[in-house]
Amino acid sequence: MTQRVELATVMDRLAVDEVVTEYAVVVDDGDWEAYRRLFTPDGRADYRSAGGVEGDAGEIAAWLSRTMELFPMRQHLIVNRRVRFGLLEQDSGDTARVQADYVNPMRFAGQDGGSTEPDFVCGGRYDFGLLRTAEGWRVREVVVHEKWRRVPQRRQEPAVP
């Protein structure tokens, strides 16, 4: 591998990583226009394993917009990213597949302001298929594989005699 090819691969890895990070940030910030821009025109997302829906980026952005109103505090943490280039059909070096684990603590709307503990935490793995476009790397597909979820039990204060 030449230095030029190695540098191009590093640059692609950084660009792909940026898309995955941006995905988490725009969902956490509720920026649904930016969410749509992350996708190719035919891009799709599948949240069914997490109790959600599957559809094109516009449909999913609309669904997320409504659903995330329940959780004004949310913070995706996307880790353990495995990036592989050229795994989609008829590849010419312009596709990538990313598997990345996530942990997502969220707080339900209307909860008291005294506690900072999340009310709902889930985790799993994202499976991203990305495509290099004239505008840069974009999500062609993302599938959420939720592995677990937890709703912490509220602590009971001892009764005052």
Side-chain angles (χ1 to χ4, degrees):
M1 201 180 273
T2 68
Q3 282 185 328
R4 186 171 301 195
V5 171
E6 289 173 356
L7 179 58
T9 300
V10 169
M11 297 299 288
D12 282 337
R13 280 178 130 6
L14 290 170
V16 163
D17 187 68
E18 176 65 23
V19 172
V20 171
T21 298
E22 189 69 10
Y23 184 90
V25 170
V26 300
V27 171
D28 290 342
D29 290 350
D31 188 345
W32 309 119
E33 276 306 311
Y35 180 89
R36 288 178 188 91
R37 287 192 305 269
L38 288 173
F39 286 81
T40 61
D42 62 343
R44 301 188 67 76
D46 184 346
Y47 282 81
R48 291 178 292 182
S49 78
V53 299
E54 185 271 338
D56 67 40
E59 293 167 328
I60 298 301
W63 173 76
L64 283 170
S65 175
R66 292 186 306 274
T67 303
M68 291 299 114
E69 288 178 2
L70 297 171
F71 305 102
M73 187 284 294
R74 50 194 183 262
Q75 183 178 26
H76 280 78
L77 306 172
I78 300 182
V79 299
N80 301 334
R81 301 168 197 223
R82 280 189 228 128
V83 179
R84 303 288 184 263
F85 291 100
L87 297 181
L88 298 177
E89 67 281 351
Q90 300 175 355
D91 179 45
S92 61
D94 292 332
T95 62
R97 175 109 6 230
V98 180
Q99 287 185 324
D101 295 332
Y102 71 88
V103 175
N104 184 14
M106 298 183 282
R107 184 157 187 76
F108 284 114
Q111 297 297 317
D112 66 45
S115 172
T116 58
E117 287 186 39
D119 299 297
F120 181 90
V121 183
C122 61
R125 180 166 291 154
Y126 285 113
D127 186 9
F128 291 93
L130 292 99
L131 179 68
R132 184 195 322 264
T133 70
E135 294 80 34
W137 286 94
R138 295 292 182 263
V139 177
R140 177 189 266 175
E141 65 178 338
V142 59
V143 179
V144 176
H145 301 282
E146 185 176 89
K147 295 181 177 184
W148 60 271
R149 63 172 59 182
R150 178 174 56 96
V151 179
Q153 299 295 318
R154 295 277 182 222
R155 286 187 291 164
Q156 295 286 330
E157 296 296 324
V160 178

